[in-house]
Amino acid sequence: MDFLRLPKRTTRTRTYGLTSVADFGVSMGELKNILSDYSHIIDIAKIAIGSAYVTPNLKKKIDLYKEHHITPYCGGTLFEKCYYQNKIPEYLTYLRELGIEWVEISNGTLDIPLQERLQLVSHFKKDFHVVGEVGSKDPNQEMSISEWVEEIQLFLDAGCDYVLTEGRDSGTAGIYEKCGSIKSDLIQQLIQAIDSKKIIFEAPTSKHQMYFIREVGPNVNLANVKLQDVLALEAQRCGLRSETFYLEEHECQLP
């Protein structure tokens, strides 16, 4: 169908307007059904938290995502576990054996010094695409807006393809308050100071997703999207939900 005037969406293979799903253990059978219908609106799949390490038939799942032109990678918690146990070389070998080409560097649980994380970016980017994550999973650990801006820019300058903003799968930490409300002042400063095409905002709920679509546009990069929500998200991006119904035409044009 093409009789409606809708916001202009980027198309595969996208470099922005990305939808990154969080796979918390969906079965292979269910995943095959989901991807048969919706793979065209999924760009990235994170095997969430550290679950990749205990996922049955992980290689088959990774290969299935890749067959559908979706980029798979392991959640930052698994990286942090390997870092904590001094197993980074083994971790990189593990990723290569799985055929994973993207790696996340985070400090959501551990407090890894910034300079050390930047050094890891320089090391990893020789063989992988690198995604840096900024922000803590601890809602009591606050960063100033200037710290957020500086850290994200340092990660991009160090060679990260994208930077994730921590939000957890619950939307209660990082760029969100404990109650789940969005730190809107922080978001406004980030999108003014940094190219939003290089930031992937963790937005696990439709409320969070609608905020970013309205503030950044239909081609905002969003992560931690539930697999069952990808079609509803695409409808939101296309102005086919009440909260995004009146997306202005100037916001819908690609540069």
Side-chain angles (χ1 to χ4, degrees):
M1 295 186 294
D2 59 2
F3 57 86
L4 290 176
R5 188 176 70 250
L6 300 177
K8 199 76 167 176
R9 281 287 279 131
T10 50
T11 56
R12 301 280 293 269
T13 301
R14 300 178 184 89
T15 57
Y16 67 101
L18 304 173
T19 292
S20 177
V21 298
D23 181 337
F24 280 94
V26 62
S27 69
M28 284 290 290
E30 185 179 359
L31 184 61
K32 287 177 182 178
N33 288 333
I34 292 171
L35 296 186
S36 68
D37 286 338
Y38 304 136
S39 63
H40 66 291
I41 51 176
I42 302 172
D43 304 285
I44 301 170
K46 176 176 68 175
I47 313 300
I49 53 176
S51 67
Y53 199 73
V54 293
T55 296
N57 301 312
L58 178 61
K59 184 65 166 63
K60 290 183 179 179
K61 177 173 277 193
I62 295 300
D63 290 344
L64 179 62
Y65 277 122
K66 293 173 74 173
E67 286 170 17
H68 286 274
H69 308 289
I70 296 168
T71 298
Y73 77 102
C74 296
T77 301
L78 185 56
F79 155 75
E80 292 185 50
K81 191 74 168 184
C82 294
Y83 175 90
Y84 182 69
Q85 296 187 2
N86 296 312
K87 298 293 184 181
I88 290 298
E90 290 86 347
Y91 180 52
L92 298 183
T93 298
Y94 172 77
L95 296 181
R96 293 188 190 98
E97 290 175 348
L98 288 170
I100 291 177
E101 300 173 350
W102 290 71
V103 61
E104 179 182 328
I105 295 175
S106 66
N107 69 328
T109 303
L110 299 178
D111 186 12
I112 305 173
L114 175 59
Q115 287 305 314
E116 192 160 348
R117 282 180 281 140
L118 293 173
Q119 289 173 5
L120 287 168
V121 173
S122 297
H123 174 57
F124 288 2
K125 73 178 183 180
K126 298 172 186 175
D127 299 302
F128 296 89
H129 294 279
V130 184
V131 177
E133 184 175 59
V134 174
S136 172
K137 296 185 188 303
D138 182 353
N140 296 312
Q141 187 171 327
E142 292 286 341
M143 293 173 59
S144 68
I145 291 177
S146 61
E147 288 174 320
W148 276 92
V149 171
E150 179 183 19
E151 194 163 317
I152 291 172
Q153 191 60 61
L154 285 171
F155 268 117
L156 292 173
D157 292 343
C160 284
D161 292 77
Y162 298 95
V163 175
L164 278 162
T165 59
E166 177 66 71
R168 302 212 69 178
D169 59 286
S170 57
T172 55
I175 58 174
Y176 303 104
E177 304 287 358
K178 294 179 188 179
C179 63
S181 62
I182 299 162
K183 297 177 180 176
S184 55
D185 289 346
L186 167 62
I187 301 305
Q188 292 302 318
Q189 288 297 315
L190 291 181
I191 62 180
Q192 288 178 26
I194 299 169
D195 182 1
S196 62
K197 295 184 180 70
K198 306 301 287 184
I199 303 175
I200 304 177
F201 299 98
E202 291 194 342
T205 72
S206 61
K207 177 182 177 181
H208 299 144
Q209 294 155 14
M210 286 184 284
Y211 169 84
F212 285 107
I213 291 169
R214 289 195 299 263
E215 294 300 315
V216 182
N219 290 299
V220 62
N221 300 319
L222 297 175
N224 273 9
V225 178
K226 297 176 179 64
L227 276 162
Q228 63 267 30
D229 292 344
V230 292
L231 185 62
L233 171 57
E234 191 64 22
Q236 292 179 64
R237 291 184 186 275
C238 293
L240 296 170
R241 182 166 179 158
S242 178
E243 290 82 355
T244 60
F245 193 92
Y246 296 106
L247 286 175
E248 295 298 331
E249 191 168 13
H250 73 271
E251 292 178 326
C252 304
Q253 302 302 313
L254 294 177

